[in-house]
Amino acid sequence: MIFLKTDEEVELLRESNRLLAMTLAEVAKVIAPGVTTKQLDSLAYEYIKDNGGEPSCLGYEGYPATLCISVNEQVVHGIPSDKVVLKEGDIVSVDSCVKLNGFHSDSAYTFPVGEVSPEVMTLLKTTKECLYLGIEQAVAGKRVGDISYAIEHHAAQVGFSVTHDFVGHGIGREMHEDPEIPNFGRRGNGVVLKDGMVIAIEPMVLMGRRNTIIENDGWTARTADRKPAAHYELSVCVRRGKADILSTFDYIKEVLGEKFI
Ligand code: MF3
Ligand code: CO
């Protein structure tokens, strides 16, 4: 069942997304070699709580943390740990959901830790481009497959793959609503996009092959070939002519300055 949102609901969703965007920027401030992923998780939990929100991931189907933090070959749903210490040259994907005003927001950003290789920078840049190319297609009258195709096609052109194992999704009073938004697909296929649909678009782009495996913790997905993966995600409202982007990377941009890509 797809729930179209009223203008009032869209404004509540925007508020929720703003708190999440600010939370990711707080995390961005402390990402550096020597920091543990558990430290990032603790500060995000405090920040969300201090600002009246709820961390939606915590307790979701038993998930034990506020953030999903996936390092290098980890694709998504990495569990923060005091044993995972970030080091120069890593990439770290931070994905989270917040509940505020009864509405969930969902956003992810992959950060380089210090200097990373040019190939990895290309992976980050390409994944972010995939996200914005997907968002360009999120207009009323187009179909989900138009978003999916835009994402997959751009990644493939650069020689990268996209996961088939994890998808974007509708979002609102529930963290995961219909429709699914795959990162692969065919133009003109799938659900017709309507004004007021709110969806989380989340390309996960893999430098090597697209196969993933779940680690023994039952959550962490990593690439089977152990090549790196990147993940950028924003929640958007489908409108006529142009999507309304409800989340933002602007707060992260302020923190990263000229390092923002
Ligand atoms: N953005 C992630 C997703 O849509 C958040 C999941 S929360 C978790 O899958 F609890 F499932 F990790
Ligand atoms: Co999501």
Side-chain angles (χ1 to χ4, degrees), residues 19 79 81 147 153 162 166 186 198 249:
L19 174 53
I79 300 177
S81 162
I147 299 175
H153 181 69
V162 290
F166 302 93
R186 297 224 301 254
V198 175
F249 294 146

Side-chain angles (χ1 to χ4, degrees), residues 95 97 106-107 167-169 171 175-176 200-202 231 233:
D95 179 13
C97 299
D106 191 354
S107 182
V167 295
H169 47 90
I171 186 163
M175 191 165 80
H176 293 140
I201 301 179
E202 48 180 318
H231 182 195
E233 175 175 21

Side-chain angles (χ1 to χ4, degrees), residues 237-255:
C237 182
V238 173
R239 292 300 192 197
R240 293 187 192 90
K242 195 174 194 296
D244 181 3
I245 304 178
L246 303 179
S247 345
T248 174
F249 294 146
D250 287 355
Y251 301 105
I252 291 174
K253 187 175 180 186
E254 270 173 41
V255 172

